[in-house]
Amino acid sequence: MVREAPRSILPDGVHTGACPFDCPDTCNWQVTVKEGRAVLLGGVRENPYTRGALCVKVSKYLEYTQHPDRVLYPLARVGKKGEGRFERISWDDALSRISEAFQEAIAEHGPESIWPHQLTGQFGHIQGVYSAGHRLFNRMGASRNAITNCSVSGELASAYTVGPGRSLEPALVRHAKTILLWGANTISTNQHLRPFLEDARRAGAKIIAIDPLYTRTAEFADQHIPLVPGTDAALALGIIREIVVRGVHDRNFIETWTSGWELFQKQLDAYDMESVADLTGVPTTVIQSLVTDIVDRKPTAIRMSQGMQRHAGGGMAVRTIMCIPAVTGDWALLGGGAAYDIGGYFGPNYEKLCGAHLRRDDSARTLTVTHLGVNLRDLKDPPVKCLYIWGGNPLASAPETELIRSGLLRPDLFTVVSDHFITETAKYADLFLPATMQTEQEDLHNGYGHLNLIWNNKICEAPGECLPNTEIFRRLAGAMGYSEPELFASDEQLARDALDSTHPSCEGITLESLKSSPFVRQNYPESPHTLLGFTTPSGKFEFDAPSMAAEGLPTTACYTPPLEVADPELRGKFPFAVISPAAHYFLNSVFGNFAPNVSRQGEPIVAISSGEADRCSLAGGDLVRVYNDRGSFVARLTIDERLAAGIAACPKGQWRGLDGTFRNVNATVSSRASDMGGGAVYNDNRVAIEKYEPNQSAWEEQA
């Protein structure tokens, strides 16, 4: 049973806003208020990108805000860590306890012993990852937090190659004649691109999905090309070599608009058709046909997504794939080029928004979220003594969750979780703070798949005593005894500070203009990469990027193989390379406790081919234990004949396994870093699969 819809603070009618979640589409939505209550959620039809549609994940968001398990009051732990037993306390008491713990940690170990562990559950510029809490923790001098579990490797790779904010605007694929959806499950994770793809198809475009898995997007495409996980850069180099061998590379574009071609070209001889076929599992005939499509059906648009860069060579894979349209000259054509993440087109005043000047010691350490468990265990100078988690549920979404669990059990660790529900992570908190949801707060959003800005209106009063992240941090600043005015700025002032930017994307855009329209396009013409050029240090496309040397990286785009997937010794022990794609009805771990979405997604599964099942003496429908040296989880085995030998697929986002414990595929994932930016390696993971017997292993009993 859902709770009664909260009272609206706005008059009856339709009011606009934005979906708050980590998705390139950042949907423009509208809430209908009738008789003082929010009664209907829909899309804004006038938005040229989202076109009035909401995804199946978010369409029932109003019901989600009324979930009967939603926590409405501050709570303090009364049981052991992990038991999930709490009692209600006042906000004054909660803030006093947090302030006391923070002050004690600062006095004994210094401010870096405090880790503001923020994740991507809220994606706005006011309440979410871009600014919420930054002013407070900068003033405090706490450790910096690096969100490395999503797209950082590809973002850095794109910046090294074409410069910040120069990836292809995805909607321009409608002008392409060959479209490569490379590691991008568009139908499940970027559905608003589909109409643009269909526009292109009607105009004669061919759509090709390159992915180890046969996804909904592969089914939608005209052709599916499966490959060994993590070998994307090798395939790209094979494609480029064949283009050069055929003599159809664009010499004029290369000479005029690129740098480092000679260095890059030297490695191509190693990527002949046969060698690439052996590495990638893609037959030579398929590679040859793909090259023909790329050079004969111009321009080619390549849409990449986050999953394909989550391995040891993930950043280099994005960088090398981006080289294909540089060799063909498609970067110069409307609809040509490569799209990864275009969030970098937006240039707000982050220095002002985040209060960078408030940090008195600029040498504070940076802690990466993918190393949560390792850092809780190993950091000594200083140790992490206080952990403040918001916008995330790391025990459902982070790597090596058993190591995280043991860290959260530390008796000397003071943990605060701000969330909407008692998640598995929240069970280990000393204090729980109830946060508002999107219809109960104001926020400023841009997309990383389109160029629109959206102001999210607060529609409803928050239920109970839920507070926006910004208000929680304002009150905590007061409890800490801080007096700087910036720490108490209103949400509207934070938005004005963000827009107080000299960046061309913000020119002419004010808070008033955002409030007066459902959306405002950033100050760019269509096809900005074509008209404005590249933003690298050389001003050109960089096959060789000298700036990468400072980070200890190879400067020339190349192939960096996956680590575990390519390890023959590890393959003998753990024969399956497991891929964890996005679930169709969850958004990361969000909605993993929401019955309508859980019901439609179904129980946790792991899929392999029938041949692999026979080899392991397994059958479809079996309960199986999926494991390696890091951990295990229990799921239902399903058979998928489209999976290659040695490949397993397990959608992410589930909160628990079928043994009843709160373990999913991330229990098996390493927390080691990818090649760029400390990115996560969710898809560079080897496991074994065996039939599950409830009493077969003491490991499961340790929960």
Side-chain angles (χ1 to χ4, degrees):
M1 179 183 294
V2 298
R3 291 190 169 103
E4 184 180 38
R7 283 282 177 186
S8 173
I9 63 168
L10 298 179
D12 284 7
V14 176
H15 306 281
T16 58
C19 173
F21 295 121
D22 180 5
C23 170
D25 292 4
T26 309
C27 285
N28 209 167
W29 72 22
Q30 59 187 29
V31 179
T32 300
V33 174
K34 186 176 181 180
E35 296 180 358
R37 298 191 184 277
V39 297
L40 182 65
L41 181 69
V44 174
R45 294 184 181 276
E46 296 80 9
N47 188 299
Y49 186 77
T50 57
R51 303 186 185 189
L54 298 179
C55 74
V56 294
K57 302 173 177 69
V58 175
S59 59
K60 293 183 179 295
Y61 187 79
L62 291 183
E63 292 94 322
Y64 186 60
T65 68
Q66 301 156 36
H67 196 300
D69 294 340
R70 185 175 175 187
V71 180
L72 306 183
Y73 305 95
L75 303 174
R77 177 173 57 83
V78 294
K80 296 179 180 179
K81 290 188 176 186
E83 287 183 348
R85 293 197 292 120
F86 296 90
E87 66 179 8
R88 179 178 170 181
I89 60 173
S90 69
W91 269 108
D92 286 345
D93 190 6
L95 295 168
S96 176
R97 294 190 196 193
I98 297 170
S99 174
E100 182 179 344
F102 281 7
Q103 299 283 16
E104 182 178 329
I106 292 169
E108 294 186 12
H109 301 280
E112 288 178 297
S113 65
I114 299 169
W115 185 356
H117 187 89
Q118 183 185 26
L119 291 160
T120 59
Q122 296 270 355
F123 225 68
H125 284 270
I126 309 304
Q127 305 297 343
V129 297
Y130 297 104
S131 71
H134 291 200
R135 291 187 178 190
L136 172 63
F137 291 111
N138 277 333
R139 166 62 179 86
M140 198 178 293
S143 289
R144 291 183 171 92
N145 181 66
I147 302 176
T148 54
N149 58 342
C150 189
S151 59
V152 64
S153 298
E155 289 172 357
L156 287 173
S158 179
Y160 284 131
T161 309
V162 297
R166 285 301 176 269
S167 184
L168 172 69
E169 183 181 352
L172 297 178
V173 300
R174 67 186 183 276
H175 299 292
K177 295 302 180 185
T178 299
I179 301 171
L180 308 183
L181 301 176
W182 201 318
N185 186 6
T186 302
I187 304 304
S188 288
T189 66
N190 181 198
Q191 74 166 45
H192 296 87
L193 190 62
R194 178 172 181 163
F196 299 96
L197 296 171
E198 291 173 335
D199 289 344
R201 177 182 273 158
R202 282 190 291 270
K206 182 177 181 179
I207 301 172
I208 302 168
I210 303 175
D211 199 303
L213 307 181
Y214 190 84
T215 62
R216 282 177 164 86
T217 301
E219 183 178 11
F220 163 80
D222 300 305
Q223 181 183 4
H224 173 225
I225 301 176
L227 76 170
V228 174
T231 62
D232 308 83
L235 179 58
L237 290 167
I239 291 169
I240 292 169
R241 181 184 183 277
E242 180 62 18
I243 291 170
V244 174
V245 167
R246 294 187 190 185
V248 291
H249 50 304
D250 190 328
R251 293 175 177 85
N252 182 62
F253 182 87
I254 292 171
E255 182 178 346
T256 306
W257 283 104
T258 77
S259 66
W261 168 248
E262 293 78 10
L263 286 171
F264 175 78
Q265 190 179 14
K266 288 179 180 179
Q267 68 183 308
L268 294 180
D269 285 345
Y271 293 92
D272 58 89
M273 289 291 102
E274 291 72 20
S275 299
V276 171
D278 288 342
L279 281 170
T280 65
V282 181
T284 58
T285 54
V286 174
I287 301 173
Q288 294 277 11
S289 175
L290 178 57
V291 171
T292 298
D293 285 329
I294 290 171
V295 299
D296 288 353
R297 304 168 59 89
K298 294 168 70 74
T300 292
I302 304 173
R303 176 66 166 121
M304 295 173 282
S305 194
Q306 283 69 30
M308 57 81 61
Q309 48 92 67
R310 290 176 179 156
H311 62 86
M316 198 59 79
V318 171
R319 178 157 156 66
T320 306
I321 291 167
M322 283 186 149
C323 293
I324 296 173
V327 174
T328 61
D330 283 345
W331 277 108
L333 304 178
L334 181 63
Y340 178 67
D341 178 339
I342 64 169
Y345 274 105
F346 185 40
N349 190 338
Y350 283 122
E351 292 284 310
K352 190 172 185 180
L353 175 62
C354 297
H357 67 285
L358 294 169
R359 186 174 285 273
R360 301 171 184 180
D361 181 3
D362 202 46
S363 65
R365 68 187 180 187
T366 297
L367 303 180
T368 61
V369 300
T370 44
H371 293 152
L372 175 57
V374 173
N375 287 336
L376 290 179
R377 180 190 66 188
D378 295 344
L379 285 179
K380 304 298 181 188
D381 187 24
V384 177
K385 300 295 289 185
C386 294
L387 184 68
Y388 189 112
I389 300 173
W390 76 107
N393 179 13
L395 279 176
S397 61
E400 281 193 79
T401 47
E402 292 315 301
L403 190 57
I404 296 172
R405 193 185 307 272
S406 65
L408 293 174
L409 281 168
R410 275 177 36 198
D412 65 326
L413 177 70
F414 179 79
T415 301
V416 180
V417 171
S418 177
D419 208 322
H420 309 121
F421 305 99
I422 299 296
T423 63
E424 180 69 355
T425 303
K427 290 180 181 178
Y428 293 81
D430 295 283
L431 291 175
F432 181 94
L433 307 180
T436 50
M437 290 189 175
Q438 186 74 340
T439 51
E440 304 150 8
Q441 60 193 20
E442 294 178 315
D443 212 339
L444 170 64
H445 290 265
N446 71 311
Y448 58 91
H450 60 74
L451 294 177
N452 296 321
L453 298 181
I454 304 170
W455 177 253
N456 182 75
N457 287 292
K458 177 180 176 180
I459 308 296
C460 303
E461 292 289 358
E465 296 179 3
C466 297
L467 294 176
N469 287 324
T470 47
E471 180 60 20
I472 294 173
F473 292 127
R474 285 189 283 262
R475 294 189 185 190
L476 183 53
M480 292 290 293
Y482 299 153
S483 58
E484 289 82 353
E486 303 97 311
L487 299 175
F488 305 95
S490 68
D491 293 352
E492 286 199 359
Q493 184 57 52
L494 291 170
R496 295 184 195 281
D497 290 345
L499 295 170
D500 183 18
S501 171
T502 59
H503 194 275
S505 63
C506 297
E507 185 177 346
I509 300 175
T510 65
L511 181 58
E512 285 69 31
S513 65
L514 286 170
K515 284 188 169 186
S516 66
S517 178
F519 64 92
V520 174
R521 182 178 168 90
Q522 294 174 50
N523 187 37
Y524 288 110
E526 188 175 57
S527 195
H529 73 273
T530 300
L531 298 178
L532 302 179
F534 301 106
T535 55
T536 56
S538 67
K540 297 183 177 184
F541 181 99
E542 295 194 350
F543 289 109
D544 182 74
S547 60
M548 296 177 68
E551 302 299 325
L553 295 167
T555 60
T556 305
C558 61
Y559 170 51
T560 302
L563 185 64
E564 291 195 10
V565 171
D567 186 334
E569 183 177 345
L570 199 61
R571 185 187 302 122
K573 186 177 181 181
F574 301 114
F576 292 98
V578 62
I579 305 294
S580 49
H584 194 67
Y585 294 97
F586 302 149
L587 210 157
N588 300 323
S589 67
V590 179
F591 304 116
N593 66 328
F594 187 44
N597 293 42
V598 172
S599 175
R600 297 179 77 182
Q601 183 63 37
E603 62 187 358
I605 63 165
V606 60
I608 58 177
S609 69
S610 61
E612 293 292 81
D614 291 343
R615 185 179 59 80
C616 298
S617 300
L618 298 170
D622 284 348
L623 280 182
V624 293
R625 175 177 178 253
V626 184
Y627 67 95
N628 57 24
D629 292 337
R630 292 179 286 266
S632 72
F633 66 100
V634 175
R636 184 79 61 189
L637 185 72
T638 64
I639 303 300
D640 187 344
E641 300 297 8
R642 299 163 299 193
L643 289 171
I647 303 296
C650 178
K652 66 178 182 178
Q654 297 278 4
W655 281 26
R656 67 174 73 199
L658 288 180
D659 58 346
T661 64
F662 282 80
R663 296 187 178 96
N664 61 25
V665 63
N666 292 329
T668 66
V669 175
S670 172
S671 59
R672 61 184 166 80
S674 68
D675 55 345
M676 297 183 193
V681 293
Y682 293 104
N683 292 330
D684 194 356
N685 180 26
R686 283 204 165 273
V687 298
I689 303 174
E690 64 183 10
K691 194 166 184 178
Y692 172 68
E693 302 292 346
N695 297 317
Q696 73 180 49
S697 170
W699 198 92
E700 275 81 9
E701 305 303 324
Q702 295 173 6

